[in-house]
Amino acid sequence: MTDKGEYKRDLNYLPDRITADGRDGWPVEPDRYRLVVARACPWANRAVIVRRLLGLEPVLSMGIAGPVHDERSWSFDLDPGGRDPVLGIERLQEAFFKRDPDYPRGITVPAFVDVPSGQVVTNDFAQMTLDMSTEWTQYHRDGAPELYPEKLRDEIDDVAQQVFTDVNNAVYQCGFARSQEAYEHSYRKLFARLDWLSERLANQRYLVGDTITEADIRLFTTLVRFDAVYHGHFKCNRQKLAELPVLWAYTRDLFQTPGFGDTIDFAQIKEHYYVVHKNVNPTGIVPLGPDVSGWLTPHGREELGGRPFGDGTPPGPPPEPERVPAL
C-alpha cells in the first residue's frame, strides 16, 4: 500500500523455471512436478486453462486448494483428511518452507512443486504459463494449439502487459484502495482499458491474430469473474460485463470453448472473495447471484472468422476428478 492509499502488488516471485534443458536445476520430466492451483484465483486459472489446452494432464498432475485461506496459506481442505494426496501436505506453505524455512513473502498460487523433494520450484505465474507452452512441447498432446507463437510474441507481450496493468491488477487496485483518490484513479484506468479492448475486439475475434493466444487467456480469467465479484465486491461498477456488448460476447465465446468454461467454478470464486476479504466484506456473506445461465447463450462471434485452435484441435473432456459442476 502506498502513502496515497494505492494497492501495490508484490511481484517478487521465486524466479526458477522448469525448462527443457534444466538450466535452473529443474528439467522438464513427466510425473515429477505438481501444479498447485485454486479454482477461485484468476492467476491460477490461467495455468489450469493452459494445461488443459496443451493436454499436459498425463504428465503434470494438479492439486486443488480450497477457496478459503487464512493469513498463513492456501490449504487442501477439499481433499480427504485435508491433505493433498500426492504431496501429503495440509498447506501449500509447507512446500514453500521446504524450499526456504524463512520464506518471507505471500504463499501464492499457482505454484509448481517438485514432488520428490516436496519443494516449491516457482510461483511466477506469468512465466509459468509461457514455459508450459514453450518448454513442455515434448509432452503436448497431438493437436495442441500454439498459444505463444513466435511470430506474434512481441504483440502478445505488449497486449498482455496492458491487460495486466489496467485490467487484471486494476480490479484489485479498485477493491483494495484505501483512499477515494486511489480508487477513482484505478476505476478510470480500468474502464478506459475495457473501452479500448471493446474497440479492438469489435472486428476481430481474438486479441492477437486469428486464434486463441496467451493474451486471451490472461484477459478471460478477469472478465469471467467480473460480474460475480469485481462489479460489486471491488466497486468496479460503471457497467457489468453483461452490459458491455462486445466484451460480453467475447467472454461467452471463450467460456463456451473447451478448456475455458469447464475450468470455472463460480461458487468457489464467490466464496473466496466474499469470505477471505474481511476488510472489504466484514460480514462474510456470499451473494446468491448473479444468474449464470447467460454464459451459455449464443454469442455470434463466429461471424468474425478466426479459428480457436488454429491448425490444432479442441482438448478432450477434463479428467473426472478435475471436473467442475456444470452450469
Side-chain angles (χ1 to χ4, degrees), residues 201-206 253 298-306:
L201 289 164
N203 298 303
Q204 63 186 65
R205 192 170 177 186
Y206 303 111
D253 184 6
H299 52 75
R301 297 281 292 178
E302 305 95 333
E303 297 177 5
L304 295 174

Side-chain angles (χ1 to χ4, degrees), residues 265-288:
D265 187 321
F266 284 113
Q268 288 196 27
I269 288 169
K270 290 192 296 183
E271 184 179 1
H272 169 71
Y273 283 90
Y274 284 99
V275 172
V276 171
H277 300 155
K278 293 293 188 185
N279 56 335
V280 178
N281 185 43
T283 65
I285 294 173
V286 180
L288 293 177

Side-chain angles (χ1 to χ4, degrees), residues 237-284:
N237 60 356
R238 193 189 77 180
Q239 285 114 350
K240 296 177 181 177
L241 178 69
E243 296 166 347
L244 298 169
V246 171
L247 293 181
W248 174 224
Y250 164 80
T251 314
R252 293 203 319 281
D253 184 6
L254 291 175
F255 186 90
Q256 295 170 29
T257 299
F260 284 82
D262 54 29
T263 71
I264 301 301
D265 187 321
F266 284 113
Q268 288 196 27
I269 288 169
K270 290 192 296 183
E271 184 179 1
H272 169 71
Y273 283 90
Y274 284 99
V275 172
V276 171
H277 300 155
K278 293 293 188 185
N279 56 335
V280 178
N281 185 43
T283 65

Side-chain angles (χ1 to χ4, degrees), residues 26-325:
W26 308 105
V28 170
E29 294 178 12
D31 303 319
R32 175 170 175 178
Y33 304 100
R34 189 157 175 81
L35 171 64
V36 177
V37 301
R39 294 284 188 199
C41 173
W43 318 101
N45 196 177
R46 300 175 176 190
V48 178
I49 292 170
V50 170
R51 174 177 172 269
R52 279 271 293 120
L53 297 182
L54 298 179
L56 291 173
E57 295 99 329
V59 297
L60 177 62
S61 68
M62 186 168 76
I64 304 174
V68 177
H69 64 74
D70 58 21
E71 67 280 356
R72 289 179 290 172
S73 176
W74 296 89
S75 58
F76 296 100
D77 48 14
L78 300 178
D79 291 307
R83 288 185 179 274
D84 179 88
V86 172
L87 300 173
I89 58 177
E90 295 181 338
R91 295 173 176 274
L92 180 57
Q93 183 184 57
E94 296 173 55
F96 279 78
F97 287 171
K98 272 276 187 76
R99 172 72 182 267
D100 178 1
D102 299 314
Y103 186 74
R105 300 186 182 280
I107 308 301
T108 63
V109 289
F112 280 137
V113 178
D114 178 54
V115 175
S117 68
Q119 298 181 43
V120 68
V121 176
T122 182
N123 59 338
D124 187 347
F125 64 88
Q127 189 62 50
M128 287 169 65
T129 52
L130 298 182
D131 285 344
M132 290 163 76
S133 282
T134 59
E135 301 290 338
W136 290 73
T137 52
Q138 180 183 354
Y139 299 105
H140 289 181
R141 65 178 175 88
D142 291 340
E146 274 197 274
L147 301 177
Y148 195 50
E150 194 162 357
K151 64 181 180 180
L152 296 177
R153 286 180 189 175
D154 287 346
E155 186 176 1
I156 291 170
D157 290 346
D158 179 59
V159 171
Q161 183 58 46
Q162 294 178 77
V163 166
F164 171 78
T165 302
D166 299 342
V167 181
N168 302 145
N169 198 46
V171 294
Y172 286 87
Q173 291 177 319
C174 288
F176 294 152
R178 288 294 172 265
S179 73
Q180 187 71 30
E181 178 186 7
Y183 162 71
E184 291 184 8
H185 172 74
S186 298
Y187 174 100
R188 293 191 178 98
K189 177 174 66 172
L190 167 66
F191 281 99
R193 184 59 64 193
L194 292 180
D195 290 341
W196 178 86
L197 288 163
S198 290
E199 292 180 13
R200 184 181 182 96
L201 289 164
N203 298 303
Q204 63 186 65
R205 192 170 177 186
Y206 303 111
L207 279 173
V208 181
D210 67 349
T211 65
I212 291 167
T213 67
E214 176 81 17
D216 297 293
I217 295 166
R218 294 187 180 197
L219 178 58
F220 171 80
T221 59
T222 295
L223 294 185
V224 77
R225 288 163 172 76
F226 201 88
D227 289 0
V229 289
Y230 302 141
H231 176 270
H233 184 60
F234 278 176
K235 306 180 185 69
C236 301
N237 60 356
R238 193 189 77 180
Q239 285 114 350
K240 296 177 181 177
L241 178 69
E243 296 166 347
L244 298 169
V246 171
L247 293 181
W248 174 224
Y250 164 80
T251 314
R252 293 203 319 281
D253 184 6
L254 291 175
F255 186 90
Q256 295 170 29
T257 299
F260 284 82
D262 54 29
T263 71
I264 301 301
D265 187 321
F266 284 113
Q268 288 196 27
I269 288 169
K270 290 192 296 183
E271 184 179 1
H272 169 71
Y273 283 90
Y274 284 99
V275 172
V276 171
H277 300 155
K278 293 293 188 185
N279 56 335
V280 178
N281 185 43
T283 65
I285 294 173
V286 180
L288 293 177
D291 177 12
V292 296
S293 60
W295 284 103
L296 301 180
T297 59
H299 52 75
R301 297 281 292 178
E302 305 95 333
E303 297 177 5
L304 295 174
R307 303 170 299 146
F309 301 103
D311 295 328
T313 57
E320 184 64 38
E322 296 179 8
R323 294 186 183 180
V324 299

